[in-house]
Amino acid sequence: MFKLSNNLGASYSPLYFLSALGAGGLSISFFIYLMFLTPHPNTPIPTWESLMAAFQAGNPWMQGLIAVSLVGIVLFALLHIRMLVWNSVEYLRFKPTEGYQRLRQSNGEVQLMALPLTFAMTINVGFALGAVFVPKLWSVVEYLFPIAMIAFAIVGGYALNILLSFMLRTLSTGSFDCTRNNNLSQLLAVFALTMVGVGFSASAAMSQVAVTSGLAMILAVMFLSFAAVLGLVVLVLGFRGMLQHGVDREAAVSLWIIIPIVTLAGITLYRLLMGMHHNFGTEVEPIQNLAMFTVFVSIQILFAMLGYIVMKRLGYFADYLYGSSKSIGAFSLVCPGVAAFVMAFFFIHIGLVGSGLVTKFSIAHFVLLAPLVLLQLKTIATLFRLNFKLLKPEPAARLAVTA
């Protein structure tokens, strides 16, 4: 791995945390293979024991899948940790600067939400690593769920503190610049709140203790509700600004931020339904899951097409991904790829396979999975391209920062 820039000072931006977020998301994407393609009959997610049993009893295809997935989980988890540490150090150096004070007085203050967003991803990555690499972890998992809930509560409290500080300033002074809100960058706050919600929903779905599941369910619904209300406001204001002034070219990638938000919201709702089913007797039919995930995938397809044609028209990919123009906000290209990959896996396996429309490990199943593998590879290539472009030491250059 290449050497990272150091001591960026006032030129640093919290959006650099998206590099760590993307790496963490890719680590989880390899976990998704194990989640849906390996047997784990005794646990809701794959564990060390289930993977070792599947590896020993499986054919070469299954063994290769497990091996590659475990390597992918580890490599991108290590990259996530490296970028998390680097960002944390650079952020602490950034806080005493005038650049930080200017950020706190502008629309760009929402960029601070990238911190709790990434920290919540770190908890998810840690849980995935523990599940597949720590033997007998599931035997003590009921003790781990409350710990995870406390961790997400801390991150959620941090996110709300940032958000309320931002809203207090803008609502009390009227300092929000609507003319520069011709993008959907403010949805970063919604992204962070939804990430906290999906974290709580894991305990709601998997805990067999009714109190733990119920409390996690309440907290997940609470943060999902926060995100829904704020998202509605931000979405309307953002589209109003874009329709009036045209989309900000450098921030056009924000049109895709709705894709990871929808993935997180969809997984949260599904987990909540599973928790209600396992612990509270609510019946959920497979066809209902198919209908629900179809709605989420449809929204993602709409925004994927809209974002692509707008960015293509504006030359965003040619300049900020493949060209010489530099924008830290380009790291936002990674999360939609990861999110679309993950949501598609849920749609195929919970929706299509679960309802009986597609047979698992049939030709149709593999045909559906093939483009997802290509999407994952494309997303990996995008992350590394942006890392080399935006994180290598370049003392004479200043990176553009999306406000």
Side-chain angles (χ1 to χ4, degrees):
M1 178 62 72
F2 58 88
K3 182 180 179 181
L4 298 172
S5 299
N6 286 303
N7 298 308
L8 296 181
S11 64
Y12 176 80
S13 164
L15 291 181
Y16 275 114
F17 269 92
L18 298 181
S19 61
L21 180 70
L26 284 168
S27 179
I28 295 298
S29 73
F30 282 96
F31 179 82
I32 291 295
Y33 284 119
L34 302 178
M35 177 73 181
F36 289 109
L37 300 179
T38 67
H40 43 91
N42 300 318
T43 54
I45 63 173
T47 62
W48 169 263
E49 288 77 17
S50 72
L51 293 176
M52 291 304 99
F55 189 88
Q56 293 169 7
N59 53 35
W61 178 89
M62 178 62 72
Q63 293 173 338
L65 172 70
I66 294 173
V68 171
S69 297
L70 291 178
V71 170
I73 290 172
V74 171
L75 289 181
F76 284 100
L78 290 174
L79 179 59
H80 169 75
I81 293 170
R82 185 188 185 199
M83 298 311 306
L84 181 69
V85 172
W86 177 83
N87 272 285
S88 298
V89 171
E90 290 298 324
Y91 176 72
L92 291 176
R93 292 170 176 167
F94 170 63
K95 286 192 70 174
T97 68
E98 292 183 3
Y100 174 78
Q101 297 303 323
R102 288 194 299 271
L103 182 71
R104 293 296 301 267
Q105 300 302 316
S106 70
N107 291 10
E109 187 176 6
V110 73
Q111 294 176 15
L112 296 176
M113 294 296 283
L115 278 72
L117 172 62
T118 305
F119 295 151
M121 175 61 78
T122 302
I123 301 172
N124 290 325
V125 170
F127 195 87
L129 286 171
V132 299
F133 287 110
V134 179
K136 298 183 178 180
L137 183 69
W138 204 258
S139 64
V140 296
V141 74
E142 290 296 350
Y143 297 99
L144 299 180
F145 287 137
I147 296 174
M149 290 168 61
I150 292 173
F152 279 112
I154 293 172
V155 174
Y158 180 40
L160 288 175
N161 181 63
I162 295 172
L163 176 63
L164 293 176
S165 175
F166 174 56
M167 296 190 71
L168 174 63
R169 175 181 63 81
T170 54
L171 291 175
S172 61
T173 64
S175 57
F176 188 79
D177 189 351
C178 290
T179 61
R180 298 192 61 190
N181 191 45
N182 52 335
N183 54 71
L184 297 182
S185 297
Q186 297 297 320
L187 282 175
L188 187 63
V190 178
F191 192 0
L193 295 175
T194 313
M195 181 70 81
V196 174
V198 80
F200 282 122
S201 72
S203 298
M206 292 186 286
S207 176
Q208 298 299 310
V209 178
V211 173
T212 301
S213 177
L215 180 57
M217 191 177 302
I218 291 171
L219 292 169
V221 171
M222 184 180 297
F223 274 89
L224 196 61
S225 300
F226 292 160
V229 173
L230 182 63
L232 180 61
V233 174
V234 169
L235 201 61
V236 171
L237 290 177
F239 267 98
R240 182 185 182 279
M242 289 187 290
L243 291 173
Q244 183 175 2
H245 304 287
V247 65
D248 183 321
R249 182 171 181 268
E250 189 178 343
V253 66
S254 64
L255 288 168
W256 274 357
I257 196 173
I258 198 71
I259 296 175
I261 291 173
V262 167
T263 290
L264 294 176
I267 294 173
T268 300
L269 290 174
Y270 173 70
R271 285 175 170 177
L272 292 175
L273 291 174
M274 291 301 98
M276 294 176 188
H277 172 68
H278 296 312
N279 295 313
F280 302 100
T282 301
E283 292 299 324
V284 181
E285 298 297 333
I287 195 63
Q288 293 174 318
N289 289 327
L290 175 61
M292 180 179 68
F293 282 115
T294 300
V295 171
F296 297 136
V297 169
S298 300
I299 296 172
Q300 289 183 324
I301 291 174
L302 173 63
F303 277 88
M305 294 189 298
L306 176 63
Y308 179 79
I309 60 175
V310 170
M311 285 187 279
K312 191 73 173 179
R313 175 75 175 269
L314 297 176
Y316 185 93
F317 301 109
D319 290 343
Y320 293 112
L321 181 58
Y322 300 108
S324 58
S325 299
K326 296 182 178 181
S327 171
I328 302 165
F331 278 118
S332 299
L333 290 168
V334 178
C335 289
V338 173
F341 172 91
V342 172
M343 178 52 73
F345 259 76
F346 274 83
F347 173 72
I348 291 171
H349 296 92
I350 304 299
L352 297 178
V353 174
S355 63
L357 292 179
V358 173
T359 302
K360 193 171 184 178
F361 299 134
S362 64
I363 295 177
H365 183 210
F366 285 114
V367 168
L368 290 170
L369 292 180
L372 300 185
V373 176
L374 296 178
L375 174 61
Q376 185 189 40
L377 293 175
K378 179 67 174 179
T379 304
I380 291 172
T382 298
L383 176 65
F384 281 113
R385 177 182 290 274
L386 291 173
N387 280 350
F388 278 99
K389 182 177 182 178
L390 301 175
L391 298 176
K392 292 179 67 175
E394 294 182 88
R398 282 185 173 272
L399 298 179
V401 179
T402 302

